[in-house]
Amino acid sequence: MTNPRSLIHALYLHWDIIEALVLLGREFPAFEQEQVLAVIARCLPSKSGEEREAVLRQLASSELLQVLPRGTALHIHPLVLEFVRSLTREHELGLSEVLRARVEAVKNATAKLNDGLQARDTDTLRLAAGQLAELFRQISQQLDQDRHAILELAERAKSADANLPIGRRYSEVLAAYDNYVAPMAEMMDSGPSGTFYRHLETAEHALDHAVESLTIQGALYTQRLAMRQVAFQAKELRRLGREVLKQCSDTLLPLREEIRQHNALSSAISQLLGRVRKRGLGRALGEGQLPVWKRDMPRRVGLGHEVLTIMGEALHYQPALLDFPEEGVDTERLDLDRVDESALIKALRNALPIDNLLDWLLKHYPGLGDLTLLRLYHNLQRFQHQIVTG
């Protein structure tokens, strides 16, 4: 039996090697000793060959690497593989059927919770709440792992060689969408056909009702707190489900649409080339059925009469002469409003009190322009206190 403490200590000592082997495990389900030694040499370049073999023996003795039955190949301890993948976000995409089965298990645990609530059986309530909490934890973990797996899958597809056929390049994307995203979208539909939100909402209502009932019955605070925490997990799981589904759909849908458009264009081009090969270009492409990419271009470049006219006008072009004004400007000719403000203020004081200042200005100074009258009006309003008291 594996000693957990020694296993964790060995993982701490050889983390770089195990992490590299986990990444290599995407391509090889098991490793030969030469492959493991090559990974050790890459992670520990300063060690000699004998020291690398000693490290390999330590990995095998601590059971980080296990020997497959009926052979000498090595594979990573399953629990260690799961643990490292969880920490490094290197999970493979899960199965939608596993998620569906866990959601159905939530329905059964909710029914058990309701039965215990009606019978006032605290043990049944505690067991049902524990089952719901564990199911919520497993579903949340799977959703988070699947989200990172889909993002990693999309990044691999985008970074693949552009010379590969697009069907081969995006084959994993199509498989992930058809086998995971589409069933998950159907399961998380908010309508009557969806089971995810409906079962979670039923469990959430049952847990809230259980908290209220335990409060009325005067149950222990720890029991009520545990029930409330499970209800919070249900609310958070509903939010996480919506977020994961939206992010996965937004990641894979553009790639899927790109594949569809490429396939439609490829099939149309292949069909058109087949017609040209069988019937010839003239018969296959009539005058009224020319493709949109074809255009007629003249073989000679010539100048039209309009261009020759413009060139002639430009050849005999002479700039127009403009008379600029002199530097000195006769200000007496300018139509400016001249106002004796001191006399105006004196007249204003003699006419006080005045009901409407603007009407008074228009009546006594009708020859001034509108801008001058407005300027005088605002200035007199601003300094009206000084005018009255001065």
Side-chain angles (χ1 to χ4, degrees), residues 108-120:
N108 299 331
T110 304
K112 186 177 180 181
L113 180 70
N114 290 327
D115 294 340
L117 189 61
Q118 293 178 358
R120 295 186 177 181

PDB file of all heavy atoms in Angstrom, residues 108-120:
ATOM      1  N   ASN A 108     -32.114  12.913  -6.969  1.00  0.00           N
ATOM      2  CA  ASN A 108     -32.392  11.867  -5.980  1.00  0.00           C
ATOM      3  C   ASN A 108     -32.053  12.332  -4.566  1.00  0.00           C
ATOM      4  O   ASN A 108     -32.803  12.063  -3.609  1.00  0.00           O
ATOM      5  CB  ASN A 108     -31.603  10.609  -6.327  1.00  0.00           C
ATOM      6  CG  ASN A 108     -31.989  10.052  -7.689  1.00  0.00           C
ATOM      7  OD1 ASN A 108     -33.133  10.230  -8.137  1.00  0.00           O
ATOM      8  ND2 ASN A 108     -31.055   9.387  -8.365  1.00  0.00           N
ATOM      9  N   ALA A 109     -30.925  13.036  -4.411  1.00  0.00           N
ATOM     10  CA  ALA A 109     -30.564  13.523  -3.078  1.00  0.00           C
ATOM     11  C   ALA A 109     -31.554  14.581  -2.593  1.00  0.00           C
ATOM     12  O   ALA A 109     -31.848  14.665  -1.389  1.00  0.00           O
ATOM     13  CB  ALA A 109     -29.146  14.098  -3.116  1.00  0.00           C
ATOM     14  N   THR A 110     -32.109  15.382  -3.507  1.00  0.00           N
ATOM     15  CA  THR A 110     -33.115  16.371  -3.116  1.00  0.00           C
ATOM     16  C   THR A 110     -34.384  15.692  -2.630  1.00  0.00           C
ATOM     17  O   THR A 110     -35.006  16.131  -1.639  1.00  0.00           O
ATOM     18  CB  THR A 110     -33.423  17.294  -4.304  1.00  0.00           C
ATOM     19  OG1 THR A 110     -32.211  17.892  -4.764  1.00  0.00           O
ATOM     20  CG2 THR A 110     -34.407  18.373  -3.916  1.00  0.00           C
ATOM     21  N   ALA A 111     -34.788  14.627  -3.332  1.00  0.00           N
ATOM     22  CA  ALA A 111     -35.963  13.875  -2.877  1.00  0.00           C
ATOM     23  C   ALA A 111     -35.725  13.267  -1.497  1.00  0.00           C
ATOM     24  O   ALA A 111     -36.622  13.262  -0.634  1.00  0.00           O
ATOM     25  CB  ALA A 111     -36.299  12.781  -3.893  1.00  0.00           C
ATOM     26  N   LYS A 112     -34.534  12.769  -1.261  1.00  0.00           N
ATOM     27  CA  LYS A 112     -34.198  12.226   0.063  1.00  0.00           C
ATOM     28  C   LYS A 112     -34.227  13.317   1.125  1.00  0.00           C
ATOM     29  O   LYS A 112     -34.672  13.097   2.257  1.00  0.00           O
ATOM     30  CB  LYS A 112     -32.814  11.576  -0.007  1.00  0.00           C
ATOM     31  CG  LYS A 112     -32.392  10.858   1.251  1.00  0.00           C
ATOM     32  CD  LYS A 112     -31.040  10.191   1.050  1.00  0.00           C
ATOM     33  CE  LYS A 112     -30.596   9.457   2.313  1.00  0.00           C
ATOM     34  NZ  LYS A 112     -29.266   8.812   2.129  1.00  0.00           N
ATOM     35  N   LEU A 113     -33.782  14.531   0.761  1.00  0.00           N
ATOM     36  CA  LEU A 113     -33.823  15.654   1.702  1.00  0.00           C
ATOM     37  C   LEU A 113     -35.261  16.028   2.043  1.00  0.00           C
ATOM     38  O   LEU A 113     -35.590  16.282   3.219  1.00  0.00           O
ATOM     39  CB  LEU A 113     -33.090  16.850   1.091  1.00  0.00           C
ATOM     40  CG  LEU A 113     -33.029  18.125   1.942  1.00  0.00           C
ATOM     41  CD1 LEU A 113     -32.120  17.918   3.149  1.00  0.00           C
ATOM     42  CD2 LEU A 113     -32.521  19.301   1.116  1.00  0.00           C
ATOM     43  N   ASN A 114     -36.140  16.038   1.070  1.00  0.00           N
ATOM     44  CA  ASN A 114     -37.542  16.355   1.328  1.00  0.00           C
ATOM     45  C   ASN A 114     -38.198  15.289   2.201  1.00  0.00           C
ATOM     46  O   ASN A 114     -39.005  15.613   3.083  1.00  0.00           O
ATOM     47  CB  ASN A 114     -38.294  16.494   0.008  1.00  0.00           C
ATOM     48  CG  ASN A 114     -37.880  17.735  -0.766  1.00  0.00           C
ATOM     49  OD1 ASN A 114     -37.553  18.759  -0.174  1.00  0.00           O
ATOM     50  ND2 ASN A 114     -37.877  17.653  -2.093  1.00  0.00           N
ATOM     51  N   ASP A 115     -37.867  14.015   1.960  1.00  0.00           N
ATOM     52  CA  ASP A 115     -38.415  12.943   2.797  1.00  0.00           C
ATOM     53  C   ASP A 115     -37.966  13.089   4.246  1.00  0.00           C
ATOM     54  O   ASP A 115     -38.771  12.924   5.178  1.00  0.00           O
ATOM     55  CB  ASP A 115     -37.985  11.582   2.248  1.00  0.00           C
ATOM     56  CG  ASP A 115     -38.585  11.299   0.874  1.00  0.00           C
ATOM     57  OD1 ASP A 115     -39.601  11.954   0.530  1.00  0.00           O
ATOM     58  OD2 ASP A 115     -38.025  10.467   0.139  1.00  0.00           O
ATOM     59  N   GLY A 116     -36.692  13.404   4.435  1.00  0.00           N
ATOM     60  CA  GLY A 116     -36.211  13.593   5.807  1.00  0.00           C
ATOM     61  C   GLY A 116     -36.813  14.806   6.469  1.00  0.00           C
ATOM     62  O   GLY A 116     -37.049  14.826   7.681  1.00  0.00           O
ATOM     63  N   LEU A 117     -37.119  15.847   5.672  1.00  0.00           N
ATOM     64  CA  LEU A 117     -37.738  17.047   6.228  1.00  0.00           C
ATOM     65  C   LEU A 117     -39.178  16.786   6.651  1.00  0.00           C
ATOM     66  O   LEU A 117     -39.622  17.273   7.703  1.00  0.00           O
ATOM     67  CB  LEU A 117     -37.672  18.167   5.186  1.00  0.00           C
ATOM     68  CG  LEU A 117     -38.078  19.569   5.643  1.00  0.00           C
ATOM     69  CD1 LEU A 117     -37.157  20.039   6.759  1.00  0.00           C
ATOM     70  CD2 LEU A 117     -38.041  20.533   4.482  1.00  0.00           C
ATOM     71  N   GLN A 118     -39.906  16.005   5.851  1.00  0.00           N
ATOM     72  CA  GLN A 118     -41.280  15.681   6.227  1.00  0.00           C
ATOM     73  C   GLN A 118     -41.347  14.762   7.438  1.00  0.00           C
ATOM     74  O   GLN A 118     -42.218  14.904   8.300  1.00  0.00           O
ATOM     75  CB  GLN A 118     -42.004  15.026   5.042  1.00  0.00           C
ATOM     76  CG  GLN A 118     -42.230  15.973   3.863  1.00  0.00           C
ATOM     77  CD  GLN A 118     -42.894  15.289   2.698  1.00  0.00           C
ATOM     78  OE1 GLN A 118     -43.174  14.081   2.736  1.00  0.00           O
ATOM     79  NE2 GLN A 118     -43.162  16.047   1.628  1.00  0.00           N
ATOM     80  N   ALA A 119     -40.394  13.825   7.520  1.00  0.00           N
ATOM     81  CA  ALA A 119     -40.373  12.908   8.653  1.00  0.00           C
ATOM     82  C   ALA A 119     -39.660  13.478   9.872  1.00  0.00           C
ATOM     83  O   ALA A 119     -39.618  12.830  10.918  1.00  0.00           O
ATOM     84  CB  ALA A 119     -39.703  11.594   8.236  1.00  0.00           C
ATOM     85  N   ARG A 120     -39.081  14.671   9.730  1.00  0.00           N
ATOM     86  CA  ARG A 120     -38.330  15.319  10.811  1.00  0.00           C
ATOM     87  C   ARG A 120     -37.202  14.415  11.330  1.00  0.00           C
ATOM     88  O   ARG A 120     -36.967  14.283  12.526  1.00  0.00           O
ATOM     89  CB  ARG A 120     -39.242  15.721  11.964  1.00  0.00           C
ATOM     90  CG  ARG A 120     -40.260  16.775  11.592  1.00  0.00           C
ATOM     91  CD  ARG A 120     -41.045  17.239  12.796  1.00  0.00           C
ATOM     92  NE  ARG A 120     -41.986  18.310  12.418  1.00  0.00           N
ATOM     93  CZ  ARG A 120     -42.793  18.930  13.285  1.00  0.00           C
ATOM     94  NH1 ARG A 120     -42.769  18.575  14.586  1.00  0.00           N
ATOM     95  NH2 ARG A 120     -43.610  19.865  12.872  1.00  0.00           N
TER      96      ARG A 120
END
